Amino acid sequence: AMNRGGVSWYLLLVLGFGTGLRIGDLCKLRVRDVRGRERVRIIAEKTDKQTDIPLQAVTRKTIDLLLKNRDENDYALQSRQRNEKTGEPKPISRQRCYAIMKQIAARAGYDGHIGCHTMRKTFAWHLYQSTGGNLALLQKVLSHSSQEATIHYLGLDQKAIDAAIMEMPTFV
């Protein structure tokens, strides 16, 4: 699952679904930040907060395999484009990530809404489910400023509440 430019689409998915990082932070990851690591530690670009995410064993193994022969200073998700002034490699852009996500969805026959944030939201939803709905933990992992933000993020809004109530068995 490589495209012509060499960005591994699979690596994008593994990093996105495996860390729950925002796309801006994913794009900035260097090989040294993730290969051979048990955790991903970064300062999140949006919040300026330290983010520290453990990597599951299968995620680590896959990352190590996909980045096996790459230089540690490379971007994990490196663009074919280079900085005009320095000639240095550049990370792929958010726009490119979005295009890749759309192509992956199209190939999978999915025609609903999808974007770069889909990976983070999926990570969040699975963590929410597997912790029995631990909002405090999820808020911390996602670096949200409030539980309200996390609730909104998960889509636990009035529409979801209404749907759940309308689908629940009646008692009378």
Side-chain angles (χ1 to χ4, degrees), residues 30-87:
R30 302 268 183 173
V31 171
R32 65 174 176 260
D33 298 326
V34 292
R35 186 179 61 202
R37 301 272 178 186
E38 293 192 354
R39 317 181 71 81
V40 178
R41 289 187 178 98
I42 59 150
I43 302 294
E45 113 185 311
K46 183 177 176 183
T47 60
D48 263 341
K49 290 181 185 164
Q50 165 98 26
T51 301
D52 183 348
I53 305 284
L55 295 170
Q56 293 180 314
V58 68
T59 304
R60 285 200 315 265
K61 206 161 153 184
T62 306
I63 289 169
D64 291 351
L65 190 67
L66 293 171
L67 293 175
K68 192 171 55 193
N69 300 315
R70 299 274 304 281
D71 185 274
E72 69 167 12
N73 295 314
D74 282 356
Y75 288 100
L77 301 168
Q78 194 154 287
S79 170
R80 279 178 295 181
Q81 297 173 343
R82 298 195 165 259
N83 181 309
E84 295 77 34
K85 291 187 179 83
T86 65

